[in-house]
Amino acid sequence: MNHSLLVNSSPNLSPDSETPSTEISGSANPPQSPKKSLIVTMPGKNFWLNNQLLIVDPRRRNGVILWKRYHAEFAGPGAAVGGIFDQDCRLMIPVGELQLLTPESADERKRAYLIRRQWVQLTRQITSHSTPAQRVQQILNQFLGFFGAETISRMLDETFALLVEALAMLVGVSHHTAKRVIRDWLEQQS
């Protein structure tokens, strides 16, 4: 039997505190939106369901940005999440309508590990661009192409500061650079 976990809206609290914050930190502590949003925080070590390995549903356009201490990773459809890979995850940001599945066999787990590696390699290719603005634009283009402008615009409306910081951490740039590129894109959409 294939069990799944559908991530729903939950209050947006900092992993280190019980109070929402809207500050851009520029550090490993994620900024938070005061609104109710799709962010799932890690209140303790049992965030990944007792270190259970899960798989991002490969039949949906969904994924998750995994906020770690010094960087962020993106895991798209078919990728393994949780388990030993993400013990240091502080926060997860669903992209699209995230659904996580429990692998049924060793072959499913192996395939999910390989797909996670492919998502990491794609991010590495994006970070090979020499200028920070190009890296942000490239990751934004990837997200827009895969999830669509409507999904990305909705996410930016709900959690602008958090998403800007997460995208900056994904491609290794300052949040100021990410904010400028994203604001330029938003102005073009108006």
Side-chain angles (χ1 to χ4, degrees):
M1 173 183 262
N2 200 0
H3 301 285
S4 68
L5 170 69
L6 188 61
V7 178
N8 294 319
S9 297
S10 65
N12 191 9
L13 299 175
S14 166
D16 300 324
S17 73
E18 293 297 316
T19 56
S21 166
T22 57
E23 292 180 43
I24 294 281
S25 64
S27 69
N29 295 325
Q32 303 295 316
S33 166
K35 297 180 188 179
K36 192 169 182 161
S37 69
L38 298 175
I39 308 306
V40 178
T41 62
M42 180 179 156
K45 292 183 180 179
N46 293 327
F47 176 65
W48 285 109
L49 308 173
N50 296 320
N51 291 322
Q52 180 182 3
L53 180 75
L54 301 169
I55 298 173
V56 177
D57 189 343
R59 295 175 303 276
R60 301 174 82 144
R61 284 186 180 242
N62 66 149
V64 61
I65 298 172
L66 304 162
W67 191 295
K68 308 244 176 149
R69 184 173 178 135
Y70 297 110
H71 72 287
E73 296 177 23
F74 178 74
V81 294
I84 61 170
F85 290 119
D86 299 314
Q87 289 178 339
D88 61 341
C89 186
R90 296 172 168 234
L91 178 73
M92 64 183 259
I93 304 169
V95 183
E97 301 215 12
L98 179 63
Q99 184 166 9
L100 300 173
L101 308 173
T102 304
E104 295 180 6
S105 67
D107 285 340
E108 266 191 19
R109 285 190 297 277
K110 182 179 178 182
R111 187 172 38 255
Y113 294 141
L114 292 172
I115 292 172
R116 172 79 178 258
R117 192 173 108 201
Q118 289 174 337
W119 285 107
V120 169
Q121 288 174 336
L122 174 64
T123 305
R124 193 183 96 231
Q125 287 174 348
I126 291 169
T127 60
S128 69
H129 290 282
S130 60
T131 64
Q134 283 181 325
R135 294 197 300 260
V136 175
Q137 188 63 56
Q138 188 68 27
I139 195 73
L140 185 59
N141 289 343
Q142 288 291 324
F143 275 39
L144 289 168
F146 192 73
F147 297 108
E150 183 179 321
T151 298
I152 301 305
S153 293
R154 187 186 76 239
M155 288 181 69
L156 287 168
D157 286 345
E158 293 172 357
T159 57
F160 182 81
L162 183 67
L163 192 58
V164 166
E165 187 86 11
L167 291 176
M169 288 184 74
L170 266 172
V171 294
V173 302
S174 75
H175 67 274
H176 298 293
T177 301
K179 186 176 183 178
R180 180 175 42 84
V181 171
I182 291 169
R183 286 213 188 270
D184 289 349
W185 176 76
L186 287 170
E187 285 177 15
Q188 291 173 2
Q189 300 303 304
S190 310

